[in-house]
Amino acid sequence: MEALIPVINKLQDVFNTVGADIIQLPQIVVVGTQSSGKSSVLESLVGRDILPRGTGIVTRRPLILQLVHIDPEDRRKTNEENESKRNGRLNRGIDGEEWGKFLHTKNKIYTDFEEIRQEIETETERISGINKGISDEPIHLKIFSPHVVNLTLVDLPGITKLPVGDQPKDIEGQIRELIYKYISNPNSIILAVTAANTDMATSEALKVSRDIDPDGRRTLAVVTKLDLMDAGTDAMDVLLGRVIPVKLGIIGVVNRSQLDINQKKLVADAARDEYAFLQKKYPSLANRNGTKYLARTLNRLLLHHIRDCLPELKTRINVLAAQYQSLLNSYGEPVEDKSSTLLQLITKFAAEYCHTIEGTAKYIETTELCGGARICYIFHETFGRTLESVDPLGNLTTIDVLTAIRNATGPRPALFVPEVSFELLVKRQVKRLEEPSLRCVELVHEEMQRIIQHCSNYSTQELLRFPKLHDAIVEVVTSLLRKRLPVTNEMVHNLVAIELAYINTKHPDFADACGLMNNNIEEQRRNRMRDLPSAVPRDKAAAGGSQSGEQTDGGTGNWRGMIRKGDEGAAGERAGLQHSYPSSPHKGYAVNLLDVPVPVSRKLSVREQRDCEVIERLIKSYFLIVRKNIQDSVPKAVMHFLVNHVKDSLQSELVGQLYKAGLLDDLLTESEDMAQRRNESADMLKALQKASQVIAEIRETHMW
């Protein structure tokens, strides 16, 4: 089971090679206020002076410290750790039984621990500057020694309240955020360091620990500076958990004083003095306190914690490996046969474009209509409803109808309503169908443009590897759509022009409508005849009834049959016009023969009202026939001249424009960051696979 910690160290090394922090590995996070003795505790565990010293914030970057226990006789045999190249020659062996290595200095070996401390200071200032600011970028240090137990520790900046000197004003918030980041790792053990000469109830280290670990399942408390308590007091109640209980326990230690550090007192000598102090001051608790007991306890806790975390780690690693494998597949392999690759990408894009229109694409949009479904919606919902909203008599008043009738008769009074007035007015209304028809073409064209982006984002992600090819494909398809747009618009314009070219009054639907209206007029005349009193002569009644259309011309299928010969005489006309014009110039009015009468200023006669009503009914009937034709023919024209033509010619157009030897290298140039992302994903996948193998080896040896 002791081999579990080296396994975690090996996993840490694996992920350090790719600079990734995606796996939260088991580790011990050291938390405490400034001057609480954190650095002394860590150096006691290492057995060496390795940490920078000074006033204020000294630890300004997280230090991930891996302690690796080695046997003295094997320290020169491990090639992975011992061999490094120096001046072109192989350096075999290390002078001294203890050494250190930094991740950022690669294979450089440090046997002088004073040099290790200087390197920590230099690397801290390189990232964090010299103004006492902090950084969350960690420093990775590995110590190999026969005098340490296997541990992975994280030293964090000490908690502070107020900024000092050049420190940022929000230094307290920055430090707390950094601490919370590390102790929020559910696989971490929190080592809360508190000085014995302070009130345990106000311990900032325990407070932040409880914020993240309220049950205390991952927290171990360390009480430092036992030898500095006031005379007549001791830490017995604190160490026994009577003041603040901590589930994983409370361990007291004695630190080296500043005088000891200045006088270069060895850590080993300090450990002997610590043992003597505990035996004298706390004899009953001496075996459960002290630096050596702390090291063994941390080692034991970390081992059990690793054992509990490994199954979840294995699952997490396997899931991430599958995700990175999928991501790597999406980036594709480096191009070898450019000609084949280009043709394959063009063919795939053209196929996906057509499938999106047909509704058989692999990636179906679920948030909005797309492709062929949207085109169908445009035809039958947008275009259909727009046509239905067009009023057959819109922008056409009764006065407009009457004026058209009069203008069509010329200088002679009309016996019948001129046919040319009906054609003139109905063409004016039919012309209004052209604008929504052209708008329908525009909407379909816009949707076919949107399909290009849809295919690029969802269907053919390989195109994202080659931005120049993607842009070229977009340009070719856009150009093809642009060329088909005027052709389709011309056809739709012709469909309306065809309807305007010949007003077919013999259309079966129109003839039936005319006959129905003629019968209605005749029925209304008979009803009035029946309602007359018996004293009224029938010939006068017939004369009056003839105003409603008694006489007909031709069968019920002829629309002229609804319009009888005018017989109302000039008297009725004059009576109606008396309201508009002076009766005689001798009454003081000057007559201008160039004035045009304003029809709206007088009341229409019965015959005029009837003629206008008949014309309006005829216009509405014929307009509905034409609207039905347009509603059916425009989508067919758009499908034939735009949609289907683009579908049928897209692949040949792309191949003809892009599949050229001179364009291969340029079109298949990857984006600048694609190769980098592929390499990063490949490295991460290798690291995850290697980590999975490490855990599998543990299972094979039945370590858990």
Side-chain angles (χ1 to χ4, degrees), residues 372-416:
R374 190 171 184 85
I375 293 175
C376 179
Y377 182 87
I378 293 171
F379 286 157
H380 301 291
E381 297 294 333
T382 306
F383 179 57
R385 290 180 179 179
T386 301
L387 289 186
E388 291 174 0
S389 67
V390 178
D391 183 6
L393 301 176
N395 301 327
L396 187 65
T397 66
T398 303
I399 298 303
D400 294 336
V401 177
L402 180 60
T403 302
I405 294 174
R406 285 192 161 190
N407 287 336
T409 60
R412 296 174 300 280
L415 298 178
F416 302 98

Side-chain angles (χ1 to χ4, degrees), residues 5 28 45 149-151 153 189 191 219-222 247-253 287-305:
I5 295 180
I28 299 170
L45 294 173
V149 295
N150 291 313
L151 288 175
L153 302 153
I189 295 175
L191 188 64
T219 302
L220 173 68
V222 174
K247 286 190 177 181
L248 294 184
I250 301 175
I251 300 176
V253 296
N287 293 332
R288 297 197 299 275
N289 290 276
T291 301
K292 291 185 177 180
Y293 180 77
L294 173 63
R296 293 195 301 269
T297 301
L298 289 175
N299 179 264
R300 175 177 54 81
L301 290 175
L302 188 59
L303 284 174
H304 287 88
H305 201 60

Side-chain angles (χ1 to χ4, degrees), residues 65-83:
L65 178 61
Q66 294 176 261
L67 303 182
V68 182
H69 176 80
I70 59 172
D71 293 331
E73 63 272 13
D74 294 336
R75 64 180 183 271
R76 299 175 182 271
K77 298 180 181 179
T78 307
N79 292 332
E80 177 182 341
E81 303 294 347
N82 294 356
E83 293 184 359

Side-chain angles (χ1 to χ4, degrees), residues 419-485:
E419 181 178 354
V420 68
S421 63
F422 164 72
E423 291 194 5
L424 175 67
L425 294 172
V426 80
K427 286 181 179 180
R428 172 179 165 181
Q429 298 306 102
V430 170
K431 183 70 175 176
R432 298 169 59 214
L433 298 176
E434 183 175 10
E435 182 179 352
S437 300
L438 293 176
R439 178 56 180 161
C440 176
V441 178
E442 183 180 352
L443 290 175
V444 174
H445 177 267
E446 291 175 358
E447 178 56 27
M448 297 191 74
Q449 283 285 147
R450 291 178 68 247
I451 296 176
I452 302 175
Q453 191 63 36
H454 173 83
C455 293
S456 301
N457 291 341
Y458 297 99
S459 303
T460 53
Q461 293 186 3
E462 294 91 338
L463 283 179
L464 300 179
R465 293 177 55 192
F466 312 108
K468 292 186 177 181
L469 175 59
H470 175 267
D471 294 342
I473 289 178
V474 171
E475 178 61 29
V476 171
V477 180
T478 302
S479 176
L480 178 60
L481 290 171
R482 193 184 304 119
K483 288 190 296 184
R484 298 307 302 173
L485 185 59

Side-chain angles (χ1 to χ4, degrees), residues 223-383:
V223 179
T224 62
K225 305 180 181 180
L226 291 175
D227 56 331
L228 299 182
M229 296 187 70
D230 294 339
T233 63
D234 59 36
M236 186 68 71
D237 290 341
V238 172
L239 296 177
L240 292 175
R242 295 170 183 169
V243 178
I244 300 293
V246 180
K247 286 190 177 181
L248 294 184
I250 301 175
I251 300 176
V253 296
V254 176
N255 302 106
R256 289 181 299 168
S257 65
Q258 188 61 45
L259 179 62
D260 293 336
I261 296 173
N262 294 338
Q263 294 179 350
K264 304 295 183 180
K265 184 177 182 178
L266 297 177
V267 175
D269 295 338
R272 286 193 295 269
D273 293 344
E274 176 191 49
Y275 179 75
F277 174 83
L278 292 174
Q279 287 289 349
K280 178 181 178 181
K281 189 70 175 179
Y282 304 96
S284 62
L285 300 178
N287 293 332
R288 297 197 299 275
N289 290 276
T291 301
K292 291 185 177 180
Y293 180 77
L294 173 63
R296 293 195 301 269
T297 301
L298 289 175
N299 179 264
R300 175 177 54 81
L301 290 175
L302 188 59
L303 284 174
H304 287 88
H305 201 60
I306 291 172
R307 183 190 61 187
D308 296 337
C309 294
L310 275 179
E312 183 180 349
L313 278 176
K314 180 178 183 297
T315 302
R316 173 68 174 160
I317 289 173
N318 291 339
V319 170
L320 286 174
Q323 292 176 352
Y324 273 92
Q325 182 65 63
S326 176
L327 184 62
L328 187 60
N329 292 339
S330 68
Y331 293 151
E333 297 294 332
V335 178
E336 297 180 358
D337 188 348
K338 294 187 176 182
S339 178
S340 175
T341 300
L342 178 60
L343 184 60
Q344 180 182 0
L345 290 174
I346 289 176
T347 302
K348 185 172 183 179
F349 178 87
E352 291 295 338
Y353 190 92
C354 296
H355 290 162
T356 303
I357 295 176
E358 296 167 359
T360 57
K362 180 179 179 181
Y363 298 92
I364 300 296
E365 184 65 60
T366 58
T367 58
E368 62 178 352
L369 292 179
C370 177
R374 190 171 184 85
I375 293 175
C376 179
Y377 182 87
I378 293 171
F379 286 157
H380 301 291
E381 297 294 333
T382 306
F383 179 57

Side-chain angles (χ1 to χ4, degrees), residues 192 296 361 610 614:
R296 293 195 301 269
R610 181 207 62 201
V614 170

Side-chain angles (χ1 to χ4, degrees), residues 649-665:
S649 60
L650 178 59
Q651 169 134 4
S652 60
E653 190 76 14
L654 289 172
V655 172
Q657 294 286 339
L658 303 180
Y659 191 64
K660 299 176 181 179
L663 298 177
L664 287 178
D665 293 337

